[in-house]
Amino acid sequence: MISSLLIANRGEIAVRIMRTARRLGIRTVAVYSEADVGALHVATADEAVCIGPSAPAESYLDIDAVLSAARNSRAAAIHPGYGFLSENAGFAEACQDSGIIFVGPTADAIRAMGDKAAAKTAMERAGVPLVPGYHGNDQSPKKLAGAAKKIGFPVLIKASAGGGGRGMRIVRTAAEFTEALDSARREAQGAFGDDRVILEKYLERPRHIEVQVFGDTHGNLVHLFERDCSLQRRYQKVIEEAPAPGMSEARRAAIGAVAIAAAKSIDYVGAGTVEFIVDAGEGGADGPFYFMEMNTRLQVEHPVTEMITGYDLVEWQLRVASGEPLPASQGEIVQDGHAVEARLYAEDPARDFLPAAGRLVHLSWPDGEGVRIDTGIRDGDTIAVEYDPLIAKVIAHGPDRKTALRRLHGAMSDMELVGPVTNQAFLAAALDHPDFVAGDIDTNFIGEHLVALVPPVQPADDATITAALAFLLDERGVTRTPSAGDANSPWQATDGWRPNLPAREHVILRDGELEFAIDLVNGGEGWQANLPDRADPVPLGPLPDGVGVYRDGHTLIVVNGARQHRLAHVVPLAEVDRGEGAGGGLTAPMPGKVVQAMVAAGDKVVRGQTVMILEAMKMEHAISAPADGTVADVYFAAGDQVDEGAELLRLAKDDD
Ligand code: ADP
């Protein structure tokens, strides 16, 4: 067995590989970029080597840097994980040339499958069924347009060198073809430096079903059943499961045999995945299936296979890389129950799944029965903008699909994750959707159910606002309403300090486009808030059970069960009086973006009134009028970028 292993990756997969290596008594070496100095994978490894700045091209993708880290740490082998260098044939070769074992297939096998056109040509020869299409060398627009017509619309254009759904275009009519081809080529050239394309018949009701295969250096090749990855968004997997719902045993055996034939045709060694597209419109999981591509690495969703087979696929990889035979024969590999995985991302479903970044101010994982969490993130860690915003893979196993789904849904609802916006509620909604629960799925599922899965954002309700206000008072050490007879209540702990009564506070909270300016008053009866649209003041008592408030910079995150609401606490900047002598100009204290201009030329303002809100360093800052006066001019509008020192607006003071 290998004695030492460098993991050329980061995040959850690096941590997950180390877990197995450690169990097998293998010394682990992490590599990291400057952005990852404090990351979990660095802390988990026996040794860690910094390989460059945060940009992936200068660190995790830098072959020389990774290899020199391996040599300096005397690592016997390198595990590339997924992504980064995992499907880079040149890297596999460079490892070999340096006398380091590459945990993966040969460079030739990576090359054979790395190009969609070449892979299809090879698979055609091996008798593997292909989607009707074109993958020839003649790339002239005329030839391609003719081929598209022959295939019959709708047609899917794919980048030959593609991955991650980039360079893919659906073309529904001949008239749209040329334009779609041009745009697919531009995207492919930009993303892969290669603008060749292939064409496929576009299936309207496709299911993505893939087969896990494994080969060793002794000529053994097995499959470990299929995974259904049909829940996708923009061709990217979101929820994966094993086995495929509704697949018959006969089909399972057939698709497994084809996957093995595909792998055998290139003498495959190590872990690989043969991806098929199934025409679910004609027979669900048992509809006609076609080879799509083969991924020559460990797949993100491998845990569902581990949970239904009981094998550790990373252990298999390390054994195979050490020259050992596969730990089990085809006949010994059996399925037990059902497993489902959901990819938890820092992204905002309500804003078209825009990636989010930032610090996790509170994190607590669920530990329900059959639940597994693969993560590279701890409480207090920051999701960096440089990398994939995956927070964790949450996987649940159960004796049957219903139980596995229920357990995963339970885990999704129980986890406490406060900080950047995540897709947690979206995943919970998908797992609970009656069509998904019924196994009625294809790759259109998420797109077609988006409205149900991403409910519209509701403005903060009174309970949310009062929770935020109570938190702010607490933070300042201001006593809230003492409830009589509750001497041990933390709200009683005044430390001998009493405010001068009556006391007043003024708080500004922003909720997206809305702004609430709220007066808090304590006339001796405890604090009360005058909420907008409420006639009577509302007392601010202790937070109800199940409600928590967390601060992230100037953002207050009010957590109520699985719901989270973000409110910006707008803090008036120290009154800006620079430039006043020159007639009342207000300048930007830092570079930023104008969120809102509250006033227009001619408006009367009073001292302290918020006239503009700037967003800078991910926080909102209120610009307030330094004196009573009249607005003479406003130089910027919402959305404008402003430089530090830029004059924002001009006031004519009343006494001028
Ligand atoms: P990439 O390598 O860019 O990820 P794939 O070829 O693996 O691209 O396809 C990604 C996804 O696109 C598939 O999982 C499936 O959802 C969809 N897809 C691919 N080919 C077809 C097709 N012929 N018809 C319909 N959908 C397809």
Side-chain angles (χ1 to χ4, degrees), residues 455-622:
V457 180
Q458 299 288 339
D461 57 14
D462 287 357
T464 301
I465 294 174
T466 50
L469 295 171
F471 173 84
L472 288 172
L473 288 177
D474 224 36
E475 211 177 37
R476 293 187 205 177
V478 179
T479 319
R480 277 187 260 147
T481 313
S483 40
D486 183 9
N488 292 326
S489 156
W491 319 124
Q492 294 277 56
T494 56
D495 297 330
W497 181 83
R498 301 240 176 252
N500 293 323
L501 298 175
R504 283 180 187 284
E505 293 274 342
H506 185 70
V507 175
I508 304 173
L509 296 173
R510 280 181 62 83
D511 180 18
E513 298 286 292
L514 299 176
E515 180 171 300
F516 306 109
I518 302 156
D519 283 314
L520 309 182
V521 185
N522 186 350
E525 309 284 284
W527 285 93
Q528 299 192 313
N530 293 303
L531 297 184
D533 307 327
R534 281 278 284 260
D536 301 323
V538 179
L540 298 176
L543 294 179
D545 272 357
V547 176
V549 183
Y550 301 83
R551 177 186 275 287
D552 180 18
H554 285 211
T555 301
L556 301 179
I557 307 166
V558 181
V559 182
N560 187 351
R563 280 189 307 131
Q564 294 193 6
H565 206 105
R566 307 167 76 82
L567 294 167
H569 179 207
V570 182
V571 181
L573 284 172
E575 289 165 359
V576 185
D577 47 25
R578 266 182 290 166
E580 257 189 276
L586 286 178
T587 53
M590 60 193 79
K593 195 173 97 180
V594 176
V595 175
Q596 197 181 350
M598 277 84 168
V599 292
D603 286 357
K604 289 262 181 220
V605 294
V606 295
R607 184 171 194 273
Q609 179 180 340
T610 302
V611 290
M612 195 177 269
I613 289 181
L614 284 187
E615 184 187 282
M617 329 258 288
K618 295 195 176 135
M619 288 182 200
E620 294 194 345
H621 306 272

Side-chain angles (χ1 to χ4, degrees), residues 163-359:
R166 279 180 299 178
M168 290 200 358
R169 296 287 183 283
I170 302 169
V171 191
R172 298 214 167 257
T173 63
E176 298 164 15
F177 186 78
T178 311
E179 207 185 314
L181 177 64
D182 287 348
S183 106
R185 282 199 157 146
R186 268 195 308 275
E187 190 173 326
Q189 181 65 38
F192 315 109
D194 179 345
D195 73 351
R196 285 171 310 127
V197 297
I198 62 168
L199 305 178
E200 283 179 11
K201 174 86 191 157
Y202 178 72
L203 305 181
E204 297 281 4
R205 291 276 155 208
R207 262 168 79 172
H208 175 119
I209 297 181
E210 58 185 34
V211 179
Q212 176 72 55
V213 294
F214 235 107
D216 64 18
T217 49
H218 305 268
N220 300 307
L221 199 54
V222 298
H223 73 80
L224 293 98
F225 310 111
E226 80 285 357
R227 293 183 287 258
D228 192 320
C229 312
S230 297
L231 254 70
Q232 304 184 347
R233 206 186 69 81
R234 301 229 173 108
Y235 312 120
Q236 303 273 17
K237 298 162 188 167
V238 176
I239 294 176
E240 307 101 342
E241 58 184 307
M247 186 180 273
S248 66
E249 279 308 322
R251 169 50 59 85
R252 180 160 295 121
I255 202 168
V258 169
I260 288 187
K264 195 159 248 158
S265 73
I266 55 163
D267 297 323
Y268 198 76
V269 170
T273 295
V274 185
E275 296 191 333
F276 296 95
I277 187 140
V278 174
D279 193 349
E282 293 183 42
D286 283 357
F289 65 95
Y290 309 102
F291 171 85
M292 216 166 16
E293 65 172 351
M294 179 167 181
N295 291 326
T296 51
R297 53 169 163 84
L298 189 68
Q299 204 91 325
V300 177
E301 57 274 18
H302 75 277
V304 292
T305 300
E306 297 187 320
M307 292 188 87
I308 62 156
T309 60
Y311 295 115
D312 177 336
L313 298 191
V314 172
E315 176 180 346
W316 281 40
Q317 286 188 296
L318 296 173
R319 293 202 181 282
V320 167
S322 307
E324 294 181 25
L326 291 178
S329 67
Q330 190 69 67
E332 289 166 337
I333 303 168
V334 290
Q335 302 187 63
D336 169 32
H338 200 99
V340 191
E341 170 183 287
R343 300 188 188 188
L344 184 66
Y345 280 105
E347 62 181 17
D348 188 354
R351 292 167 69 196
D352 199 21
F353 296 87
L354 193 72
R359 204 170 68 85

